[in-house]
């Protein structure tokens, strides 16, 4: 789940969405979805948080590269915090972007509950035309209730939670990403919370968004994120006695040999290396 909208853009949704005439989707104004005109995402021209370097096609570190791209080297970077104005689509000419409206309402609602916004919201990211609020895990439940119940926000629907594992993001290696939709106002945002590998606990949102029940179980099953307060946090895809969490980046590649038309194809971790 980077900073404010880039300058001097004129996208398909017109200038005036974000600072300095940016496109509504915040990518140099090229194309309706922040692409460079060739279907490729435009390069970020704002600060990012570099968390590592990936080598090879998939970044495998515990075995030989079998992709044929062993010489590929890429920087792994997460989008950095945005600065005001956040931009986003505008409801009328001359008004601030929707992302600023949402941020203002959320911060105001938290202040009414005697919770300083800067204590609950670790950072706000605007990237690829989307806004993400990174929330401190100890305040996740209160923020979720506020997003759902405040009349000016009314994010009634959470379409699920996804897990992400960033081994290089030290102290916050495990991320849970929630996609929230306001049916009342026709808006979509993301909420993201992180936890360290050493303490993989975040609050369950089932009591706020009951449909998250199975989504949290799946995230626990594959990433090992423990959702405290979940009514029945058990594996949902893997066998109950399975060891480890298969979608973590440090999970062993493993595999079994496959026979195809008489040929024996070894397991992925036993195939020859191209490097």
């Amino acid at each position: 789940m980077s900073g404010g909208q880039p300058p001097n853009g004129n996208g398909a949704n017109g200038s005036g969405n974000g600072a300095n005439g940016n496109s509504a989707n915040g990518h140099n104004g090229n194309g309706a979805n922040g692409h460079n005109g060739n279907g490729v995402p435009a390069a970020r021209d704002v600060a990012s948080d570099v968390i590592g370097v990936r080598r090879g096609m998939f970044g495998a570190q515990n075995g030989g590269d079998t992709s044929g791209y062993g010489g590929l080297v890429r920087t792994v970077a997460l989008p950095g915090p945005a600065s005001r104005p956040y931009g986003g689509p505008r409801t009328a000419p001359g008004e601030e972007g929707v992302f600023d409206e949402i941020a203002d309402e959320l911060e105001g609602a938290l202040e009414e509950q005697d919770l300083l916004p800067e204590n609950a919201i670790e950072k706000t990211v605007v990237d690829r035309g989307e806004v993400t609020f990174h929330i401190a895990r100890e305040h996740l439940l209160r923020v979720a209730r506020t997003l759902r119940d405040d009349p000016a926000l009314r994010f009634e629907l959470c379409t699920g939670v996804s897990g992400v594992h960033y081994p290089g993001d030290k102290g916050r290696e495990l991320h849970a990403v929630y996609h929230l939709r306001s049916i009342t106002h026709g808006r979509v945002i993301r909420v993201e919370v992180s936890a360290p590998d050493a303490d993989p606990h975040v609050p369950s949102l089932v009591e706020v968004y009951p449909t998250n029940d199975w989504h949290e179980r799946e995230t626990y099953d594959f990433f090992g994120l423990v959702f405290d307060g979940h009514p029945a946090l058990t594996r949902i895809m893997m066998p109950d006695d399975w060891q480890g969490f298969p979608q973590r980046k440090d999970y062993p590649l493993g595999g079994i040999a496959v026979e195809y038309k008489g040929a024996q194809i070894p397991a992925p971790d036993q195939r020859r290396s191209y490097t």
Side-chain angles (χ1 to χ4, degrees), residues 50-68:
V50 177
I51 62 172
V53 175
R54 176 177 294 170
R55 300 182 183 276
M57 178 64 75
F58 306 110
Q61 299 177 1
N62 55 353
D65 178 78
T66 60
S67 68

Side-chain angles (χ1 to χ4, degrees), residues 65-90:
D65 178 78
T66 60
S67 68
Y69 291 86
L72 183 65
V73 179
R74 292 189 297 165
T75 298
V76 180
L78 304 179
S83 55
R84 297 276 195 157
Y86 296 143
R90 300 191 180 201

Side-chain angles (χ1 to χ4, degrees), residues 175-195:
H175 292 230
V177 185
Y178 305 83
H179 299 259
L180 305 182
R181 179 177 295 274
S182 171
I183 300 172
T184 299
H185 301 294
R187 297 171 175 176
V188 178
I189 64 170
R190 282 205 302 253
V191 168
E192 189 163 338
V193 64
S194 62

Side-chain angles (χ1 to χ4, degrees), residues 27 79 88 99 135 217 235:
H27 285 292
F99 298 161
I135 305 299
R217 287 180 59 194
R235 290 190 181 272

Side-chain angles (χ1 to χ4, degrees), residues 7 36 46 50 96 101 140 153 197-198 205-206 213 218 235 245 256 270 273:
N36 64 7
V46 293
V50 177
E96 64 181 0
E101 293 180 20
L140 179 62
L153 296 168
D197 271 337
L205 291 189
V206 171
D213 188 336
E218 184 177 31
R235 290 190 181 272
F245 306 102
I256 59 174
Q270 298 173 12
S273 171

